[in-house]
Amino acid sequence: MEDDKGQKNGLIMIQIDGLSRTVLRRALEEGRMPFLSNLLRRENYQLSPLYPGIPSTTPRFQGELFYGIKMIVPAFSFRDHISGRILRLYDPEAAGLLEAKMEKQHQGLLKYGSSYANCYCGGSKECHFCTVSFGQNRLFRDLDLLKLAATAYRFFRAILKSSLLIVLESVLAFFDFFRGILSGYSLYKELKFIPSRIAVSILLRDLVKDSVIMDLREGRPIVHLNFLGYDEHAHRRGPDSLFALKTLKGIDAAIAQIWNTAQKEGGRRYSLWIYSDHGQEKVVHYESEQGRTLREAVDSVLYDYEKEKYTSGNHSEKRGIQSLRYSLLGGRIIKKIIGFKVFNNELRRDKAVVTAVGPLGHLYLAEEPDLEEKRRLGRALVEKAAIPLVLSIDGKGGILAWNRKGEFVLPGQPVEILGADHAYLQEVAADLIKLCHQEDAGTFVISGWRAGGTPLSFPIEQGAHGGPGYLETDAFALLPRELFPDHSEAAYIKINELRRVALSFRSAFEK
């Protein structure tokens, strides 16, 4: 594909991890993202809703975008039905197993390009800072020394600025550390968050940005990058916290630099796309509200019903996604500093297992209960374990759902489960049915969603995603208007539509 001047076209795909359309609009109104505002005012861009699907997570979103496979995972953490192992999607081995599975079905979208800070490589041989490319000390192996040397030479002022920002962020992190302690947060957890804050919001962001700029100058046809800073901070302090919102200015400036390079120095005529993979909900931590862990609560229910049959073997971990993420950022050294522990993924199939990293999880029973027993257990998980929403297949193609209001069915009663004001009511209802029937789903799907109330998250965090909430399922797409000329700004875009248009760009690269 070439323009009228004979210049080949290219594609830059930028994901802002975890940023809902609602929070983006607030950031635009408050002047936190002036470059994105400029795209809307002067460059004929359009801001549209984007439905990310259930579970509302990066692995699910990028699985469909990169490989065209919907719902490749049933949650951020789940039990593989073949091996019986627990897979956590910030574990490089788990992400690699999933990508290998997808590659057998479809070729990756990024075959001719590069992939930065994503979950998967997407078919790219230039895959850097992605979950699948991490491993013990992989961060340092991912640094292309020749590219870094060239970057240091050509971007000396930018590197100096980044260094100053790291110093400034370190000072701010120090003060925020004491603010967290005074607010009652754990000394240990506040201390170990400092290196993550600096690494993700400054160092990783600028490494990705400068590497992408080099790719554009070399004329790489397609580039996909993910800015993680907002999502990281939103998990820790909440999606609408000033702490999280401050990261957006730096992300906006990085996007502006990429745009300017593409316009003035890029080896192709690049189209720039910006979107998010999901939003986040402000949440309450389950243990702080209930006074006991999720494992203890579930065990109490299972013990009451049939002790020998439903004895629990493993439990969900307390760490949230941000804890799992920064355990990968520095190999053995950081793992020792922050006390990262490797959990045993091997499980006995004759034990009940609950997995929940975020507000969506699964309860796996050793034996499938009959429908009446399933109803009793579902009600007990809500009433005795105080899990806000519990779902399970009904054996007829639909699902049963329990919450404080009673027992309901899908697809027939989505309002009673999700709330009348949900913007994606029918879409989410259909996805929940598919989720419960997904091959790796548990006997019960458990969720912290409470329509009309603050949702729960099972790990310790203040912002979360994965479930069916209003904000976590409301992503955005900021795209050139000509890509979807028939879409109004109120009409939402689907992931497969985004993939279809991206593939049309790639087909031109293959000619």
Side-chain angles (χ1 to χ4, degrees):
M1 186 183 295
E2 298 183 354
D3 64 9
D4 55 7
K5 297 180 181 179
Q7 188 180 29
K8 292 182 178 180
N9 287 340
L11 179 59
I12 308 167
M13 306 174 74
I14 299 179
Q15 178 181 307
I16 304 179
D17 205 295
L19 183 60
S20 69
R21 188 166 52 108
T22 298
V23 174
L24 173 63
R25 282 177 167 172
R26 174 183 170 183
L28 294 173
E29 291 170 0
E30 294 177 353
R32 297 183 184 277
M33 307 191 83
F35 176 72
L36 267 60
S37 294
N38 184 65
L39 289 179
L40 288 167
R41 290 196 312 269
R42 300 180 181 178
E43 299 295 339
N44 201 31
Y45 272 65
Q46 178 172 285
L47 177 61
S48 302
L50 191 158
Y51 176 61
I54 301 292
S56 47
T57 63
T58 304
R60 185 259 190 259
F61 180 90
Q62 291 188 349
E64 184 171 354
L65 179 63
F66 291 170
Y67 292 99
I69 301 174
K70 295 183 178 181
M71 207 176 289
I72 185 65
V73 293
F76 198 86
S77 176
F78 61 95
R79 187 173 74 179
D80 177 61
H81 73 285
I82 297 176
S83 67
R85 298 176 61 202
I86 294 294
L87 301 184
R88 302 173 179 88
L89 271 302
Y90 271 114
D91 175 0
E93 182 183 359
L97 288 171
L98 280 174
E99 182 152 46
K101 179 180 178 181
M102 291 187 288
E103 285 176 335
K104 291 179 181 178
Q105 301 178 56
H106 296 285
Q107 190 180 77
L109 175 65
L110 307 180
K111 177 183 177 183
Y112 300 102
S114 51
S115 178
Y116 292 97
N118 299 306
C119 182
Y120 313 116
C121 292
S124 169
K125 293 182 180 179
E126 291 294 326
C127 184
H128 304 286
F129 317 114
C130 296
T131 305
V132 292
S133 66
F134 273 109
Q136 201 165 30
N137 298 321
R138 182 59 189 256
L139 174 62
F140 303 105
R141 294 203 302 272
D142 263 350
L143 300 179
D144 186 324
L145 296 181
L146 289 177
K147 181 174 283 190
L148 277 182
T151 301
Y153 177 75
R154 302 186 69 172
F155 296 100
F156 176 75
R157 292 177 62 186
I159 292 173
L160 179 61
K161 181 180 178 181
S162 294
S163 301
L164 293 174
L165 286 173
I166 289 174
V167 173
L168 176 60
E169 191 69 20
S170 299
V171 174
L172 293 174
F174 181 76
F175 283 105
D176 186 72
F177 162 77
F178 285 104
R179 184 187 305 169
I181 297 302
L182 292 174
S183 299
Y185 296 114
S186 162
L187 171 66
Y188 172 68
K189 294 184 182 300
E190 289 297 307
L191 184 62
K192 73 178 186 178
F193 185 59
I194 293 175
S196 166
R197 172 176 177 166
I198 297 167
V200 174
S201 64
I202 304 293
L203 181 59
L204 183 59
R205 181 197 70 199
D206 286 354
L207 281 171
V208 167
K209 175 207 55 174
D210 292 341
S211 298
V212 167
I213 285 175
M214 293 294 291
D215 282 351
L216 302 184
R217 285 178 167 161
E218 295 170 2
R220 196 173 298 280
I222 182 170
V223 179
H224 191 287
L225 60 143
N226 184 17
F227 287 121
L228 295 165
Y230 170 80
D231 186 72
E232 179 80 5
H233 289 59
H235 275 293
R236 185 64 183 167
R237 292 286 191 265
D240 57 352
S241 65
L242 188 61
F243 183 77
L245 292 172
K246 283 182 176 179
T247 64
L248 295 177
K249 185 175 182 180
I251 292 172
D252 183 80
I255 295 173
Q257 285 186 260
I258 291 171
W259 165 275
N260 289 332
T261 299
Q263 298 296 307
K264 299 174 183 178
E265 306 174 57
R268 293 172 178 265
R269 183 178 179 270
Y270 286 101
S271 178
L272 178 73
W273 301 2
I274 307 165
Y275 47 85
S276 61
D277 53 341
H278 54 77
Q280 282 208 35
E281 301 284 346
K282 177 72 174 176
V283 295
V284 177
H285 172 225
Y286 178 89
E287 187 175 346
S288 68
E289 182 174 284
Q290 296 301 319
R292 57 179 176 171
T293 67
L294 177 63
R295 176 192 180 180
E296 291 168 341
V298 171
D299 277 355
S300 69
V301 171
L302 300 183
Y303 183 89
D304 285 348
Y305 276 84
E306 197 165 341
K307 176 182 175 182
E308 298 301 324
K309 191 174 180 180
Y310 293 138
T311 302
S312 175
N314 289 75
H315 61 92
S316 59
E317 42 193 296
K318 294 183 180 181
R319 299 180 302 162
I321 289 175
Q322 77 280 9
S323 295
L324 296 171
R325 180 182 289 145
Y326 64 58
S327 69
L328 300 173
L329 292 176
R332 292 180 177 180
I333 296 175
I334 289 182
K335 288 179 182 179
K336 287 181 180 179
I337 293 173
I338 67 174
F340 175 71
K341 298 179 180 178
V342 178
F343 285 80
N344 180 15
N345 291 334
E346 302 297 334
L347 300 172
R348 290 175 55 185
R349 292 181 182 269
D350 62 342
K351 299 288 186 180
V353 177
V354 59
T355 67
V357 176
L360 183 73
H362 294 265
L363 172 58
Y364 300 87
L365 298 182
E367 297 181 23
E368 183 74 12
D370 61 33
L371 188 58
E372 203 50 48
E373 191 172 15
K374 185 180 287 186
R375 282 194 162 109
R376 294 201 309 271
L377 283 169
R379 287 193 294 268
L381 288 168
V382 171
E383 295 169 2
K384 297 183 178 181
I387 297 172
L389 176 62
V390 177
L391 309 106
S392 188
I393 59 174
D394 63 5
K396 303 175 183 178
I399 62 173
L400 297 171
W402 299 270
N403 60 23
R404 282 295 182 186
K405 297 178 183 178
E407 179 181 297
F408 305 99
V409 296
L410 284 179
Q413 298 173 294
V415 171
E416 287 79 2
I417 299 166
L418 301 168
D421 298 331
H422 204 300
Y424 302 100
L425 185 64
Q426 298 304 323
E427 294 87 344
V428 170
D431 270 355
L432 286 176
I433 294 173
K434 294 174 185 175
L435 175 65
C436 290
H437 286 89
Q438 207 266 2
E439 60 183 3
D440 293 314
T443 309
F444 294 97
V445 175
I446 59 174
S447 170
W449 176 245
R450 297 187 282 203
T454 303
L456 287 180
S457 188
F458 300 113
I460 299 173
E461 54 190 351
Q462 292 196 57
H465 58 88
Y470 299 157
L471 296 180
E472 59 196 323
T473 57
D474 190 27
F476 75 88
L478 185 63
L479 306 171
R481 195 176 294 270
E482 66 267 18
L483 293 181
F484 296 96
D486 299 329
H487 271 69
S488 68
E489 294 196 5
Y492 73 88
I493 292 172
K494 298 179 181 179
I495 306 172
N496 63 354
E497 292 178 306
L498 206 62
R499 173 178 167 81
R500 173 180 54 80
V501 179
L503 283 173
S504 70
F505 274 80
R506 200 190 75 172
S507 65
F509 308 150
E510 296 173 319
K511 294 178 180 178

